């Protein structure tokens, strides 16, 4: 029995993780859960899974959990320090990091420091501080098992292989909701339209990232850090069917691909069960090749999705630039979701923040945190200027 902590259990990945665990009661035990603002859902999850530890973001949530019937049987934590303290609990074997945005960084570092096995969905932490995270994981002999479907695919294709023999990684992308939308139509696009992804149902931030294709840019950086590969070796391929989750090509010309249905529960399950594979009997989780109309691949349109250019720039320069890219993106996406920024201005803000940044090579964690807060402030300043021009 593996004792699992799910950080971000009230989000899209968190909910899917609990669905997987429900199917294997003899294999996994939910020992800790965390949510931020949605204490009502967190309470329902705690009622069903009876964890020993629960962390909630706000004081009102703590009151709600304490007042519930199981309130005395669980240890309740709150805020960032509470989340880190919860992660350190001895009984936890594996931590699923399903918090969105940079808020995942410190609990992730804590989990690594405490030598927990990691199932990592969050990508912003890796983009921000990939070198520091991977160095800490190596030092503590901690495995970081990717949950993101593309990284899980690459991880599976590279299993038992030497990355010296790697020629290319083909990072696939569904193309998001605007793959076929004309570039001029992207100017006046609504939040509602952006959140309607054709292939995946996800949280709000990653849905916007998919629409700008910054999600693929973040995944480019994520793959570089996870697998120790330079950006020249990573090619982004649009693959609208989202069946091939990524591919690797070796020096002898052999290409390995990982295919499966478009269902996040599949990579989540593998990250939980690794290295074992568990039987999945859901009919919807199978690929029926005879019913597929074809598998298509094409180059991404860098003019229509200029955020990809910014991500490749950050990927070639590295230093503090990836942290700046991710922070400026997070601020801009939040502002877009609040209705304070146009869809196309997400790119403008990030581009301007990057242009003003003085990059620091080989940064330590302090440099990264400094660059992160600088970029957030710059992004806010630029957004305010855009509002009044
Ligand atoms: P959601 O927005 O659906 O969920 C985010 C979770 O994080 C919620 O539980 C939320 O709590 C919690 N949270 C938000 N802010 C904080 C904070 N400051 N402190 C603590 N907890 C916080 O996101 P997703 O599940 O879609 O994505 C999670 C991560 O996984 C992202 O990094 C995303 O890029 C990555 N990912 C997601 C995929 C998907 O299919 N959704 C696929 C691949 C990767 P609450 O809701 O209670 O406020
Ligand atoms: Mg992905």
């Amino acid at each position: 029995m593996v004792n699992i902590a799910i950080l971000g259990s009230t989000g899209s990945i968190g909910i899917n993780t609990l669905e997987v665990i429900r199917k294997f009661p003899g294999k996994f035990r939910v020992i800790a859960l965390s949510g931020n603002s949605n204490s009502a859902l967190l309470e329902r999850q705690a009622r069903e899974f009876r964890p020993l530890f629960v962390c909630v973001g706000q004081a009102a949530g703590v009151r709600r959990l304490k007042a519930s019937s199981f309130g005395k049987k669980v240890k309740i934590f709150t805020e960032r320090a509470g989340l880190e303290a919860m992660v350190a609990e001895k009984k936890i074997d594996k931590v699923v990091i399903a918090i969105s945005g940079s808020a995942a960084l410190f609990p992730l570092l804590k989990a690594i420091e405490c030598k927990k096995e990691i199932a990592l969905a969050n990508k912003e932490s890796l983009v921000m501080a990939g070198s520091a995270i991977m160095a800490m994981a190596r030092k503590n002999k901690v495995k970081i098992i990717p949950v993101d479907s593309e990284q899980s695919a690459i991880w599976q294709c590279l299993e038992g292989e030497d990355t010296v023999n790697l020629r290319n990684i083909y990072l696939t992308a569904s193309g998001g909701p605007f793959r076929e939308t004309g570039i001029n139509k992207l100017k006046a696009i609504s939040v509602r339209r952006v959140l309607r992804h054709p292939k995946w149902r996800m949280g709000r931030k990653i849905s916007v990232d998919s629409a700008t294709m910054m999600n693929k840019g973040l995944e480019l950086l994520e793959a570089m850090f996870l697998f120790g590969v330079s950006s020249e070796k990573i090619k982004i391929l649009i693959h609208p069917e989202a069946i091939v989750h990524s591919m690797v090509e070796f020096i002898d010309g052999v290409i390995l691909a990982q295919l499966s249905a478009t269902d996040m529960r599949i990579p989540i399950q593998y990250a939980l069960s690794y290295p074992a594979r568990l039987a999945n009997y859901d009919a919807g989780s199978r690929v029926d090749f005879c019913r597929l109309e074809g598998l298509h691949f094409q180059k991404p349109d860098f003019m229509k999705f200029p955020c990809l250019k910014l991500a490749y720039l950050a990927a070639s320069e590295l230093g503090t630039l990836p942290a700046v890219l991710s922070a400026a993106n997070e601020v801009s996406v939040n502002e877009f979701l609040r209705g304070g920024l146009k869809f196309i201005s997400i790119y403008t803000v990030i581009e301007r923040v990057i242009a003003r940044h003085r990059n620091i090579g080989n940064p330590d964690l302090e440099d990264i945190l400094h660059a992160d807060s600088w970029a957030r402030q710059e992004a806010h300043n630029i957004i305010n200027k855009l509002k009044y021009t």
Side-chain angles (χ1 to χ4, degrees), residues 154 158 166-171 223 227 229 233-236 246-249:
I154 299 164
L158 286 177
L166 191 66
R167 181 178 284 159
N168 278 315
I169 289 177
Y170 290 103
L171 187 67
F227 306 110
V229 175
K233 285 192 171 181
I234 305 178
K235 314 272 184 271
I236 295 172
S246 277
M247 303 183 267
V248 301
E249 180 181 6

Side-chain angles (χ1 to χ4, degrees), residues 80-356:
R80 195 185 115 184
L83 196 53
E84 286 175 46
M86 184 175 87
V87 164
E89 286 286 348
K90 279 205 176 64
K91 288 189 172 152
I92 299 172
D93 301 318
K94 191 171 214 165
V95 184
V96 179
I97 309 274
I99 292 174
S100 59
S102 59
L105 179 63
F106 284 102
L108 168 62
L109 290 173
K110 191 66 180 181
I112 297 173
E113 190 191 314
C114 297
K115 300 189 178 3
K116 311 290 184 191
E117 196 164 274
I118 310 285
L120 183 62
N122 176 277
K123 54 191 82 176
E124 292 87 350
S125 54
L126 264 185
V127 171
M128 185 180 173
S131 308
I133 292 168
M134 297 312 287
M136 199 170 174
R138 275 191 300 275
K139 187 175 146 217
N140 288 287
K141 298 191 173 54
V142 163
K143 270 214 164 65
I144 297 185
I145 307 163
V147 167
D148 201 352
S149 55
E150 295 77 2
Q151 316 299 345
S152 173
I154 299 164
W155 162 274
Q156 292 179 62
C157 292
L158 286 177
E159 187 82 47
E161 300 285 349
D162 191 336
T163 46
V164 176
N165 296 329
L166 191 66
R167 181 178 284 159
N168 278 315
I169 289 177
Y170 290 103
L171 187 67
T172 57
S174 71
F178 305 133
R179 185 174 56 85
E180 293 188 314
T181 309
I183 191 164
N184 293 331
K185 292 212 171 111
L186 293 184
K187 283 181 190 148
I189 223 97
S190 69
V191 171
R192 203 165 57 91
R193 182 74 188 77
V194 166
L195 295 181
R196 227 186 300 138
H197 195 280
K199 287 285 172 191
W200 299 99
R201 293 201 60 141
M202 310 174 285
R204 285 159 66 84
K205 197 251 171 190
I206 187 176
S207 296
V208 181
D209 287 343
S210 297
T212 59
M213 287 206 67
M214 181 59 99
N215 182 49
K216 215 44 58 178
L218 298 179
E219 287 180 2
L220 161 78
L221 284 144
E222 193 187 8
M224 286 171 68
F225 291 121
L226 272 174
F227 306 110
V229 175
S230 69
S231 61
E232 300 89 67
K233 285 192 171 181
I234 305 178
K235 314 272 184 271
I236 295 172
L237 266 188
I238 303 294
H239 167 49
E241 292 84 9
I243 295 287
V244 176
H245 296 291
S246 277
M247 303 183 267
V248 301
E249 180 181 6
F250 297 100
I251 47 173
D252 56 0
V254 167
I255 298 172
L256 297 185
Q258 186 263 318
L259 286 73
S260 50
T262 314
D263 183 343
M264 274 313 293
R265 288 171 300 183
I266 295 174
I268 291 172
Q269 179 177 312
Y270 189 59
L272 294 184
S273 70
Y274 176 86
R277 289 196 186 269
L278 300 176
N280 184 350
Y281 296 109
D282 286 352
S285 294
R286 309 281 296 276
V287 176
D288 183 345
F289 283 99
C290 298
R291 296 181 85 176
L292 280 179
E293 285 178 6
L295 296 175
H296 299 86
F297 302 92
Q298 65 197 65
K299 278 188 183 169
D301 183 341
F302 283 82
M303 289 290 282
K304 191 160 106 182
F305 299 108
C307 285
L308 281 177
K309 283 194 222 168
L310 299 179
Y312 268 104
L313 176 70
S316 66
E317 307 256 316
L318 291 177
T320 42
L321 208 55
V324 166
L325 173 98
S326 185
N329 180 55
E330 211 170 309
V331 171
S332 312
V333 168
N334 283 338
E335 195 58 31
F336 168 71
L337 286 168
R338 270 200 294 267
L341 191 68
K342 283 191 210 145
F343 180 68
I344 52 160
S345 301
I346 295 174
Y347 163 76
T348 312
V349 174
I350 306 166
E351 195 256 337
R352 288 187 192 173
V353 174
I354 283 182
R356 288 179 197 186

